[in-house]
Amino acid sequence: MSDLPRKAVTRTAKLAALPIGFAGRVTWGLGKRIGGKSAEIVGRELQQRTAEQLFKVLGELKGGAMKFGQALSVFESALPEEVAGPYRAALTRLQEAAPPMPTRTVHSVLEDQLGPEWPELFLEFEDQPSAAASIGQVHRAVWHDGREVAVKVQYPGAGDALLSDLNQLSRFARLLGPLVPGMDIKPLITEMRDRVSEELDYGLEAQAQEVHAQEFADDPDVLVPAVVHQCEQVLVTEWIDGTPLSEVITDGTQEQRDRAGQLLARFLFSGPARTGLLHADPHPGNFRLLPDDKVGWRLGVLDFGTVDRLPGGLPPTIGGCLRMTIEGEAEAVYQTLCEEGFVKESIDLDPDAVLDYLLPIIEPAEAHEFTFTRSWIRSQAARVADPRSPAHQLGKQLNLPPSYLLIHRVTLSTIGVLCQLGATVRLRDELEEWLPGFLADTAAEEPLDEGEPLNEEEPAIEA
């Protein structure tokens, strides 16, 4: 396996072959239709063949191409089963592995970053990587003080590969749209491209991980490994065992699925409130389910290369708007969306129609507990993607402000993983505890009687 980046012309040729192949399959599909197959059947076959080629190429290239594939992989549950089934295994492989760097390259990076005596820093070092991802791969080792550690080594030239791939992918994003119904692919690629510098900065990643590790140090439900050592292209953190979430999705018991789903939702909403940071890469390869004698299972969280910095936690507007939607306050919801820029000034929508658009999406937040299923998310995707539906027509007129883009993607991705798990989750419990604005401020509506003491049992959470 050659080092990253491969010759630019080779990478570009592989990516450029995707739209060319797509055009060829359209011609093939036309022939099938002339031969008597229905448009719906031919469409599914086209989608399946396109997806198979797409994920094969993305998995081979690593870099931005693989990162894009990982982002798409959490949405496979939104695809029709006859399309999703054949390449679900390929998506799972993307979440956990990629072709590794040659050992000589790994040693060269370690020598450059840690010095010629780098082997003395480790009591043991496994040359075979335990995981390989979009910009680096992880090796299991034992630090000189006896701690088991994960050594993350960045691919040489990873930055150039990321930018090159994402620029190339953005040129034909429109052709990839049908792979994930109801999702606009181009903003996803643009947002990834804008965050390349952060993704490559192991200093920022170490800082974000250490903030989480300290905050969750005594947490009974979530474990974040501490940072041991960091330099420009190498990040050493404590090692954690456990079952990858991708394996829980394929082989886990219902108890494991439900517990993993609950903890994933808890981490998503509690993280910003407790650390001021949102873990923004929620694909299954970044999570582990760890057995625990006291609580049964804990959630191990990895990879803090992409985070959204939210000093005050998640915006209260999200919780308030969600609460008002559940309560059916159409006018108040519409006014909030207009004020926050979700509805542009030049657009005039019917508040009741907006409420009807939102209610099916927020169903998990309304129920005491909700079972996330592939069929549910498929129905939501189909409703939004069908050009004939009112939801599609209304959705086209809504706007996503830049400040909400990453929050929106992380939330959608997490829902995608919950549907892959088929988990039954008490989402409302997590929203009530961690999402600002979700619970009405009853103190403001009902003044305390004179002499009534303040409730000091539950102090406010400081970001």
Side-chain angles (χ1 to χ4, degrees):
M1 193 70 190
S2 59
D3 301 347
L4 260 182
R6 295 165 181 251
K7 290 181 180 178
V9 65
T10 304
R11 298 182 66 82
T12 300
K14 279 183 173 286
L15 289 168
L18 289 173
I20 294 171
F22 181 85
R25 285 187 294 278
V26 170
T27 304
W28 168 86
L30 180 60
K32 288 281 188 180
R33 289 187 64 184
I34 293 172
K37 282 197 174 184
S38 72
E40 182 180 359
I41 292 174
V42 171
R44 285 201 298 265
E45 291 179 358
L46 275 171
Q47 192 177 35
Q48 181 178 323
R49 286 170 176 245
T50 301
E52 287 170 350
Q53 184 195 4
L54 171 69
F55 289 107
K56 180 178 183 294
V57 171
L58 298 184
E60 289 174 351
L61 288 180
K62 302 188 219 179
M66 184 181 169
K67 186 152 200 68
F68 172 66
Q70 288 175 329
L72 279 188
S73 71
V74 298
F75 297 109
E76 62 87 8
S77 53
L79 296 170
E81 180 58 32
E82 59 269 28
V83 175
Y87 64 85
R88 188 171 294 141
L91 292 174
T92 301
R93 286 195 298 271
L94 267 179
Q95 293 163 354
E96 279 297 320
M101 272 191 289
T103 300
R104 66 179 184 277
T105 305
V106 175
H107 289 186
S108 177
V109 173
L110 291 172
E111 182 175 342
D112 178 66
Q113 296 290 303
L114 302 177
E117 307 302 322
W118 71 267
E120 296 180 9
L121 294 173
F122 302 95
L123 298 179
E124 297 176 21
F125 185 90
E126 295 183 8
D127 286 334
Q128 184 65 26
S130 59
S134 54
I135 68 165
Q137 63 189 39
V138 178
H139 294 259
R140 190 168 187 168
V142 179
W143 196 240
H144 58 80
D145 62 5
R147 280 183 288 177
E148 283 195 88
V149 293
V151 185
K152 191 173 182 179
V153 182
Q154 192 173 116
Y155 303 129
D160 292 337
L162 272 171
L163 283 173
S164 174
D165 292 348
L166 293 172
N167 285 333
Q168 183 75 6
L169 284 164
S170 68
R171 294 191 183 106
F172 56 91
R174 181 179 57 83
L175 299 179
L176 303 176
L179 289 176
V180 185
M183 180 179 179
D184 192 350
I185 296 293
K186 193 156 190 174
L188 171 64
I189 298 174
T190 300
E191 186 255 320
M192 287 181 169
R193 190 173 54 202
D194 291 345
R195 289 183 174 268
V196 165
S197 60
E198 290 183 29
E199 182 82 8
L200 295 166
D201 191 331
Y202 278 0
L204 286 176
E205 179 173 349
Q207 185 181 50
Q209 181 160 340
E210 191 55 33
V211 167
H212 280 86
Q214 291 178 9
E215 174 60 36
F216 287 90
D218 299 316
D219 194 281
D221 299 318
V222 176
L223 174 65
V224 178
V227 175
V228 176
H229 183 80
Q230 175 267 320
C231 48
E232 188 177 352
Q233 288 181 286
V234 175
L235 177 61
V236 183
T237 63
E238 291 180 345
W239 179 270
I240 60 171
D241 285 305
T243 305
L245 217 55
S246 55
E247 292 182 18
V248 177
I249 288 171
T250 56
D251 302 313
T253 66
Q254 193 58 52
E255 179 188 3
Q256 290 174 317
R257 294 167 183 272
D258 292 345
R259 178 65 174 167
Q262 190 72 43
L263 296 184
L264 191 61
R266 183 167 301 162
F267 178 71
L268 168 66
F269 291 105
S270 70
R274 297 170 65 173
T275 67
L277 299 169
L278 173 67
H279 183 287
D281 196 7
H283 74 80
N286 287 338
F287 299 95
R288 301 285 185 271
L289 201 58
L290 295 81
D292 185 276
D293 293 337
K294 294 181 179 179
V295 296
W297 302 95
R298 297 175 76 194
L299 185 72
V301 185
L302 310 172
D303 199 339
F304 291 81
T306 305
V307 298
D308 199 5
R309 286 162 178 80
L310 302 168
L314 290 166
T317 303
I318 297 175
C321 200
L322 192 55
R323 170 176 50 80
M324 292 186 293
T325 301
I326 292 172
E327 293 171 353
E329 299 179 20
E331 293 289 346
V333 170
Y334 183 64
Q335 182 180 348
T336 301
L337 293 177
C338 291
E339 291 172 351
E340 291 295 310
F342 288 92
V343 181
K344 293 184 177 180
E345 292 183 6
S346 57
I347 301 292
D348 187 23
L349 300 174
D350 177 11
D352 289 321
V354 173
L355 193 71
D356 290 341
Y357 173 85
L358 294 174
L359 278 171
I361 302 172
I362 59 95
E363 185 182 359
E366 190 174 6
H368 171 65
E369 66 177 22
F370 185 83
T371 300
F372 289 85
T373 64
R374 296 177 190 273
S375 60
W376 176 77
I377 198 171
R378 283 174 194 148
S379 68
Q380 297 303 318
R383 183 176 70 95
V384 175
D386 186 354
R388 299 165 297 182
S389 74
H392 177 81
Q393 298 301 323
L394 191 145
K396 285 171 58 179
Q397 299 179 78
L398 294 176
N399 176 57
L400 185 60
S403 60
Y404 286 91
L405 180 60
L406 197 53
I407 297 171
H408 179 69
R409 178 167 74 81
V410 171
T411 304
L412 282 182
S413 298
T414 303
I415 290 172
V417 176
L418 293 176
C419 290
Q420 289 177 330
L421 284 165
T424 298
V425 175
R426 299 179 306 281
L427 184 63
R428 191 179 181 103
D429 288 355
E430 307 304 335
L431 298 177
E432 289 180 353
E433 182 165 5
W434 300 110
L435 185 60
F438 186 72
L439 290 178
D441 186 1
T442 53
E445 298 170 5
E446 301 176 7
L448 293 171
D449 294 334
E450 188 174 349
E452 183 178 349
L454 290 171
N455 181 5
E456 296 182 350
E457 294 179 1
E458 298 182 7
I461 298 169
E462 294 183 1

